Amino acid sequence: MAVTRTFSIIKPDATRRNLTGGVTKMLEDAGLRIVASRRIRMSEDQAKSFYEVHKDRPFYGELVDFMTSGPVVVQVLEGEDAVKRNRDIMGATNPAEAEEGTIRKTYAESIEANSVHGSDSDENAAKEISFFFTEDEIVG
Ligand code: ADP
Ligand code: MG
C-alpha cells in the first residue's frame, strides 16, 4: 500500500473543549503522521469556498457559521492509504452512528459539531491540502 496524504481539520467544537491534543493522539495512534499543522480562524469566504460542494444542502449556511465560530487546526496527514485510514479513525458523520473507538464517537457533539473533517478521496485531498498549505510548509 502506498504512502499518501490527506487533509484534516480539527473543528471549533474540539478546539473549544481543548481537544487538539486528544484528536491528534488518536490520529497518530492510527498510524498517521502530522506533516503540517496550523491553528487558524477561518474567514467566512474561506469556509464558503472550502464547503462549496455542499452549497445546495440545507445545512450549508449553518455549517459555514459553525466553521467560523472559533479556531480550527488545519493539518496534512501522511501514512499508508491515508484518506481511508483517516476516514476509518474519524468514524461516521453522525456520531450516533459512529463506531466505538473512533474520533467522532469519542468526541463529537452532534452531526454538525463532529470534531473533525477529513478528505474523502485522493483527488479532494490534493485540492484541500493546496487550499491551505504550500508544498514547502509540508515536512514529512
Ligand atoms: P463528512 O464530514 O463525514 O465527510 P459531509 O461531507 O457529508 O460529511 O458533510 C460535511 C460536514 O457538514 C459534516 O462533517 C458536518 O459538519 C456537516 N453536516 C453534514 N450533514 C449534516 C446535517 N444533516 N446537518 C448539519 N450538519 C451536517
Ligand atoms: Mg465530506
Side-chain angles (χ1 to χ4, degrees):
M1 196 68 72
V3 172
T4 58
R5 287 175 178 170
T6 191
F7 176 72
S8 171
I9 305 177
I10 303 176
K11 294 185 178 183
D13 67 284
T15 61
R16 176 170 47 76
R17 288 175 290 149
N18 213 20
L19 293 171
T20 298
V23 170
T24 299
K25 175 156 173 51
M26 290 182 79
L27 296 171
E28 291 182 336
D29 286 349
L32 292 158
R33 301 180 74 83
I34 318 293
V35 295
S37 186
R38 188 189 314 123
R39 183 174 171 106
I40 61 167
R41 183 73 180 252
M42 239 191 243
S43 70
E44 191 180 329
D45 280 353
Q46 269 179 317
K48 280 184 173 163
S49 169
F50 184 79
Y51 280 117
E52 177 114 49
V53 57
H54 295 310
K55 69 176 185 311
D56 295 327
R57 295 175 80 176
F59 56 81
Y60 178 66
E62 280 179 18
L63 179 59
V64 169
D65 287 349
F66 166 60
M67 292 300 290
T68 57
S69 68
V72 300
V73 181
V74 292
Q75 297 180 317
V76 181
L77 314 180
E78 196 172 83
E80 285 192 6
D81 205 5
V83 169
K84 181 176 187 303
R85 194 174 279 241
N86 185 41
R87 294 296 308 196
D88 286 349
I89 189 62
M90 286 165 62
T93 308
N94 183 350
E97 292 165 11
E99 282 182 36
E100 286 298 332
T102 62
I103 294 170
R104 283 167 165 171
K105 180 70 174 186
T106 305
Y107 291 133
E109 293 182 322
S110 68
I111 192 169
E112 176 182 78
N114 59 5
S115 303
V116 279
H117 165 85
S119 310
D120 60 10
S121 67
D122 286 344
E123 190 190 350
N124 284 335
K127 279 188 204 159
E128 292 175 359
I129 289 169
S130 65
F131 192 89
F132 287 102
F133 292 99
T134 57
E135 199 52 43
D136 68 305
E137 293 175 312
I138 304 167
V139 185

